[in-house]
C-alpha cells in the first residue's frame, strides 16, 4: 500500500510556542491531504483539507489562523499549530489521498503526539 | 443523529471465534466506505474498502447494505493479533473526498 510519513512523531513544547508538523507521501503524489486530530478514546476529527497550490479548506470550528496549513508540493503538506496551549495537546494525524487507487483511498501517516505544557 | 455510528464495545471474544461489527451512516448519498484498523496510540491503517457486492480478504469479509444504510465487518477465526479498534469511514460525497469516521469498535481477542 501507499506510504505516508509524518514528522515529528512526538513533540513536547511550552505554551505559546508554535509547532510545525510535516506530512509526506513517499511513493505517490497527493494533490489532497487531510489533517485530523484525535483526543483519547475519541474518533478522528477532520480539521482541514489541504490542497496543493491553493488554500486549505477548514472544517467548522477550526481556526485557520491558529492551524496554518501549507501544501507547497505534491508530496508535502505542513500543519503549524501557532501559539499552542495545553488544550491543543492531542494526536495529530495526516492522510494523503491516492487518486490512482480504486476506490479513491486515504492513507494515514503515523501521527504526531503533541503535548503542550 | 451522528453521521457515522458504531457500537464502541469492547467486544471480548475467545481466540478462534467469529465476530461481526456494524456501522450505520446517515447520509444516503454516501459514495464509498472503508474499514480501518487502529492499534492503541497508532494511526489508522486501511483494512479494506467495502463494495456493494461485498468483498472478502482472507478471514475478513465486508458487506454494504445501502437500503438499511450500514456496513459490516466479519472476522472469522479471530486471532490475538486482531485485538484493535476498528473504525468505519464513509465518504459522504458532495466533493472533496472527505471521510467521516465512526468512533470505532474495540475488539479484544482472548486466549
Amino acid at each position: 500500500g501507499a506510504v505516508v510519513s509524518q514528522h515529528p512523531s512526538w513533540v513536547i513544547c511550552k505554551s505559546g510556542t508554535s509547532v510545525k508538523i510535516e506530512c509526506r507521501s513517499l511513493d505517490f503524489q497527493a494533490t489532497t491531504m487531510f489533517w485530523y486530530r484525535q483526543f483519547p478514546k475519541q474518533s478522528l476529527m477532520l480539521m482541514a483539507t489541504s490542497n496543493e497550490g491553493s488554500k486549505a479548506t477548514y472544517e467548522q470550528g477550526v481556526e485557520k489562523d491558529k492551524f496554518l496549513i501549507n501544501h507547497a508540493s505534491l508530496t508535502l503538506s505542513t500543519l503549524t499549530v501557532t501559539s499552542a496551549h495545553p488544550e491543543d495537546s492531542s494526536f495529530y494525524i495526516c492522510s494523503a489521498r491516492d487518486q490512482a487507487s480504486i476506490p479513491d483511498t486515504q492513507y494515514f501517516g503515523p501521527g504526531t503526539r503533541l503535548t503542550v505544557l | 443523529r451522528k453521521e457515522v455510528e458504531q457500537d464502541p464495545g469492547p467486544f471480548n471474544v475467545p481466540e478462534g471465534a467469529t465476530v461481526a461489527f456494524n456501522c450505520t451512516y446517515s447520509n444516503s448519498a454516501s459514495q464509498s466506505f472503508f474499514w480501518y484498523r487502529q492499534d492503541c496510540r497508532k494511526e489508522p491503517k486501511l483494512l479494506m474498502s467495502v463494495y456493494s457486492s461485498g468483498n472478502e480478504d482472507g478471514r475478513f469479509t465486508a458487506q454494504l447494505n445501502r437500503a438499511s444504510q450500514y456496513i459490516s465487518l466479519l472476522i472469522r477465526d479471530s486471532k490475538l493479533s486482531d485485538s484493535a479498534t476498528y473504525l468505519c469511514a464513509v465518504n459522504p460525497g458532495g466533493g472533496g473526498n472527505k471521510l467521516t469516521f465512526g468512533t470505532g469498535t474495540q475488539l479484544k481477542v482472548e486466549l
Side-chain angles (χ1 to χ4, degrees):
Chain A
V3 180
V4 177
S5 72
Q6 201 172 327
H7 178 81
S9 302
W10 57 268
V11 58
I12 301 172
C13 69
K14 292 182 180 180
S15 189
T17 59
S18 294
V19 175
K20 180 188 276 190
I21 303 170
E22 293 186 350
C23 178
R24 294 181 187 272
S25 56
L26 297 186
D27 52 0
F28 66 101
Q29 293 184 329
T31 54
T32 305
M33 293 184 177
F34 301 89
W35 287 96
Y36 295 84
R37 180 165 56 179
Q38 187 178 35
F39 292 105
K41 297 191 183 298
Q42 295 188 24
S43 185
L44 285 84
M45 296 301 295
L46 179 66
M47 299 175 67
T49 303
S50 172
N51 304 297
E52 188 267 335
S54 65
K55 290 182 180 179
T57 305
Y58 290 82
E59 295 300 298
Q60 194 171 8
V62 178
E63 297 175 58
K64 62 179 181 177
D65 295 329
K66 180 169 179 64
F67 299 99
L68 302 178
I69 291 172
N70 184 278
H71 193 152
S73 77
L74 288 171
T75 58
L76 172 65
S77 175
T78 61
L79 168 70
T80 301
V81 182
T82 62
S83 187
H85 290 286
E87 58 266 29
D88 297 324
S89 299
S90 187
F91 190 40
Y92 291 84
I93 315 175
C94 72
S95 71
R97 178 184 167 202
D98 183 2
Q99 293 173 255
S101 63
I102 299 173
D104 196 322
T105 301
Q106 288 185 33
Y107 294 93
F108 285 82
T112 298
R113 200 160 296 280
L114 171 64
T115 301
V116 185
L117 302 176
Chain B
R1 182 183 174 189
K2 289 183 183 177
E3 288 184 63
V4 180
E5 289 198 74
Q6 293 181 256
D7 182 338
F11 285 64
N12 299 306
V13 303
E15 202 174 15
T18 296
V19 61
F21 312 132
N22 281 346
C23 168
T24 60
Y25 60 95
S26 61
N27 185 346
S28 59
S30 296
Q31 297 180 343
S32 50
F33 309 86
F34 305 87
W35 282 104
Y36 284 82
R37 170 195 169 126
Q38 186 174 28
D39 292 289
C40 188
R41 301 175 72 82
K42 299 283 189 180
E43 80 278 18
K45 292 189 186 293
L46 180 66
L47 185 62
M48 56 202 308
S49 307
V50 187
Y51 302 114
S52 297
S53 55
N55 48 308
E56 186 174 313
D57 183 3
R59 297 182 293 108
F60 299 84
T61 301
Q63 298 275 359
L64 166 63
N65 185 316
R66 283 197 181 272
S68 300
Q69 293 182 206
Y70 73 87
I71 62 172
S72 64
L73 177 68
L74 180 80
I75 305 175
R76 288 182 297 279
D77 187 23
S78 51
K79 313 288 186 191
L80 294 175
S81 56
D82 294 333
S83 298
T85 296
Y86 291 84
L87 303 168
C88 69
V90 176
N91 178 340
N97 285 285
K98 298 189 291 188
L99 288 179
T100 302
F101 283 84
T103 52
T105 297
Q106 188 179 9
L107 172 65
K108 295 181 180 179
V109 182
E110 303 165 331
L111 286 171

